[in-house]
Amino acid sequence: MRLFVYIAFSFVLFTFCTPQREENAVARVQDKFLYASELDDLVPPGTSEEDSVRIVKNYLDQWAKQQLLVDKALQNLSEEKQKEFQQLIEQYKRDLYIKGYIEQIVQRELDTVVTTNQMIRYYNENRENFKTNSILVKLRYIHLPKNHPKFALIQQKFNNFQPKKEAEFWNTHQLQFKTSALNDSIWVEMNQIYKKLPFLNPENRDNYIISGKSFQMPDSLDVYLVKINQALPINSVAPFEFVKPTIKEVIINSRQRELVKKFEKDITNDAIKTKKYEIY
């Protein structure tokens, strides 16, 4: 704070030299004052004196511009327009208070624990709401050089895939691949696959994205080994595993809406009972 006061008083500004200056004020515009305490934490620790002066000066200039513009606006805007803005300001203030209080209630009382059984039940009751808007695929792939010294062995183990039994082999060799994805139990959207397998595109995907299909795709130096475990077309009911995170969020959001609705009803009923709210 002492640093700010020292820096502020080092400026030769009209706002600092006035007989109306209040104690601890570092700037004035009309009857509005900026105090040294408002500059606390403005300058990061370790900032040079030159940069500190620049930061404080810029802040003071910005503060002054805002005050001057507000004064000009109040002088030039019609009373009707000022009344309209004041109503908006009051409504915004009320909304902020309400939002802050509701968030506090929700944080304290909302049950965010969602069991798997609850999610499965919701999924079964709302299956038609979970139609896919893109192709979903379970696959594994490896992108490696054609001249890899263990190419034949890797190809053989990839085709006869036993991830648990041969975990050590894959953990060792996966580091040598340019890119790879070996967990073929996870559903992936087609847009993500285009990024990983650049030879695929919307025009040729139907030739490759077929459940159970295995293929190799060579280029000049490398080769892709790909196995399509399962594919779901657009507009299919999405698998539970794929939409599970969404279902959890939907359930929690629904609980939140019900909690807020109940709270608003309770607070209104309580006000009626205690005569704080009456309709004449």
Side-chain angles (χ1 to χ4, degrees), residues 118-132 236-238 240 243 246-247 250-251 254:
Q118 289 172 327
M119 288 186 279
I120 291 174
R121 183 166 63 250
Y122 186 92
Y123 174 76
N124 290 332
E125 292 172 354
N126 299 275
R127 290 173 62 87
E128 293 303 309
N129 294 333
F130 295 108
K131 293 292 186 69
T132 61
S236 301
V237 175
F240 172 74
V243 295
T246 301
I247 292 174
V250 168
I251 291 174
S254 177

Side-chain angles (χ1 to χ4, degrees), residues 79-133:
E79 290 186 9
E80 181 180 354
K81 181 59 70 174
Q82 290 188 45
K83 183 178 179 181
E84 177 187 340
F85 286 160
Q86 190 59 41
Q87 290 174 342
L88 290 172
I89 291 169
E90 290 300 319
Q91 183 60 52
Y92 182 62
K93 183 171 71 172
R94 288 192 292 270
D95 290 343
L96 280 178
Y97 281 125
I98 292 170
K99 181 176 182 291
Y101 183 47
I102 291 296
E103 287 177 350
Q104 181 177 301
I105 295 295
V106 168
Q107 185 176 16
R108 186 176 68 230
E109 299 186 14
L110 181 63
D111 178 12
T112 58
V113 176
V114 183
T115 67
T116 299
N117 286 339
Q118 289 172 327
M119 288 186 279
I120 291 174
R121 183 166 63 250
Y122 186 92
Y123 174 76
N124 290 332
E125 292 172 354
N126 299 275
R127 290 173 62 87
E128 293 303 309
N129 294 333
F130 295 108
K131 293 292 186 69
T132 61
N133 55 17

Side-chain angles (χ1 to χ4, degrees), residues 1 23 31 40 80 115 168 171 203 229 254 259 264:
M1 177 174 169
E23 185 178 358
D31 59 347
D40 287 349
E80 181 180 354
T115 67
E168 184 177 350
N171 290 338
E203 286 69 37
N229 187 357
S254 177
L259 176 62
E264 291 174 343

Side-chain angles (χ1 to χ4, degrees), residues 15 20 44 69 71 77 91 121 133 217 234 240 246 256:
T15 52
Q20 300 179 20
L69 285 169
D71 286 346
L77 290 174
Q91 183 60 52
R121 183 166 63 250
N133 55 17
M217 182 59 64
I234 295 174
F240 172 74
T246 301
Q256 179 173 323

Side-chain angles (χ1 to χ4, degrees), residues 37-103:
S37 60
E38 298 178 66
L39 303 178
D40 287 349
D41 302 322
L42 179 63
V43 178
T47 305
S48 68
E49 183 175 333
E50 180 181 354
D51 287 340
S52 298
V53 170
R54 177 180 53 79
I55 291 171
V56 175
K57 176 65 163 58
N58 289 341
Y59 183 86
L60 294 177
D61 287 346
Q62 185 62 30
W63 175 83
K65 289 174 187 177
Q66 289 180 346
Q67 303 305 318
L68 292 167
L69 285 169
V70 169
D71 286 346
K72 282 294 183 182
L74 291 174
Q75 294 171 22
N76 291 279
L77 290 174
S78 66
E79 290 186 9
E80 181 180 354
K81 181 59 70 174
Q82 290 188 45
K83 183 178 179 181
E84 177 187 340
F85 286 160
Q86 190 59 41
Q87 290 174 342
L88 290 172
I89 291 169
E90 290 300 319
Q91 183 60 52
Y92 182 62
K93 183 171 71 172
R94 288 192 292 270
D95 290 343
L96 280 178
Y97 281 125
I98 292 170
K99 181 176 182 291
Y101 183 47
I102 291 296
E103 287 177 350

